[in-house]
Amino acid sequence: GEGEEGPRRLRAAAMAAFVRELERRAGPALRLEQRTAGGVGCVVWDAALVLAKFLETGACPLARRHVLELGAGTGAVGIMAATLGANVTVTDLEELQELLMVNIENNKHLVTGSVRAKVLKWGEDVTEFQPPPDYILMADCIYYEESLEPLLKTLKDLTGPDTCVLCCYEQRTMGKNPEIERKYFELLQRDFELEKIPLERHDEEYRSEDIHIVNIHRKLTVGPQ
């Protein structure tokens, strides 16, 4: 009836998507829906663009590699990896699965590897994501202090000796951000080796002084601990 139309229209407006196009070096752009309503996972952040475009430089061989994206949000980075031949699982919370599915569907004609979406809550069991992937991709995953420990547990549980973790983040100077960032890298260095990828190796257009890409590997343990 008439009474239902108003609320339904409002809901539809709240969920209205706006599309972000991400050009690719070879072939048509990715079309990524974003949500104007919802949490932080609903827009394509600059760090995701920088990491997606870095993958296109070919610095990391992705064809037929097993790739997992954490905190995928719109799925921009993982879907880009899939267009470069990787077999990708994009992961995020339950409430972002619908958006991930939409974006996978919208870009599936560009995928030369494979891509699927799955729920992964940091800190919880990761058995279904074994064996360890070749690559783990993360763009802007460090902004809540309470998520640091679960995120690090998940990274430790997921990585094998040969897993390469690419973590891209925007350095933020507001509020508690610097402190959270410092704590994250401090905790990370207990189990991982970190190497910053120099700016000149980023995509020549999609780069910024305050967006960093860090290559992270498990430390090799020697003898009994």
Side-chain angles (χ1 to χ4, degrees):
E2 185 52 45
E4 181 52 34
E5 204 44 47
R8 198 163 51 223
R9 213 170 25 233
L10 275 175
R11 260 205 310 278
M15 285 303 287
F18 51 108
V19 172
R20 170 84 197 233
E21 289 215 337
L22 176 54
E23 321 61 81
R24 292 186 309 136
R25 295 179 175 213
L30 293 182
R31 289 178 57 80
L32 300 156
E33 277 196 21
Q34 311 184 96
R35 295 281 187 263
T36 48
V40 285
C42 301
V43 297
V44 183
W45 295 99
D46 288 347
L49 297 174
V50 168
L51 184 53
K53 295 299 284 185
F54 172 72
L55 296 179
E56 272 196 310
T57 65
C60 305
L62 291 173
R64 294 181 296 284
R65 297 298 203 279
H66 175 199
V67 172
L68 185 72
E69 185 181 3
L70 295 180
T74 63
V77 180
I79 294 169
M80 180 68 95
T83 70
L84 297 165
N87 296 317
V88 182
T89 304
V90 288
T91 69
D92 211 314
L93 300 173
E94 182 66 59
E95 56 265 29
L96 285 157
Q97 295 299 306
E98 184 261 340
L99 181 58
L100 285 170
M101 306 281 199
V102 165
N103 282 332
I104 288 171
E105 183 61 30
N106 286 349
N107 295 286
K108 68 169 195 259
H109 58 295
L110 304 174
V111 167
T112 56
S114 64
V115 58
R116 58 180 185 160
K118 285 200 142 182
V119 176
L120 193 164
K121 199 163 186 261
W122 298 343
E124 294 187 358
D125 181 66
V126 296
T127 313
E128 67 167 311
F129 299 99
Q130 300 297 349
D134 299 306
Y135 291 95
I136 293 175
L137 306 174
M138 300 165 56
D140 254 351
C141 283
I142 39 180
Y143 36 79
Y144 296 131
E145 196 159 10
E146 54 278 16
S147 67
L148 294 186
E149 298 277 358
L151 175 57
L152 288 160
K153 179 187 186 319
T154 291
L155 276 178
K156 278 196 283 198
D157 292 349
L158 283 172
T159 47
D162 301 319
T163 305
C164 167
V165 182
L166 290 173
C167 170
C168 184
Y169 69 100
E170 186 168 347
Q171 203 164 6
R172 296 185 168 91
T173 53
M174 301 290 289
K176 291 188 75 173
N177 284 310
E179 193 185 315
I180 293 169
E181 208 176 280
R182 196 190 67 242
K183 185 177 171 188
Y184 169 74
F185 286 109
E186 214 169 86
L187 292 169
L188 199 59
Q189 280 168 339
R190 291 180 191 170
D191 300 281
F192 295 90
E193 303 280 358
L194 279 57
E195 177 205 352
K196 194 174 158 187
I197 293 171
L199 196 62
E200 62 269 15
R201 285 178 52 202
H202 295 200
D203 178 89
E204 49 279 356
E205 199 184 329
Y206 288 80
R207 59 163 71 170
S208 160
E209 293 288 345
D210 53 4
I211 296 179
H212 308 286
I213 305 176
V214 186
N215 189 336
I216 300 167
H217 276 93
R218 283 300 288 267
K219 279 185 179 168
L220 298 173
T221 48
V222 185
Q225 291 298 295

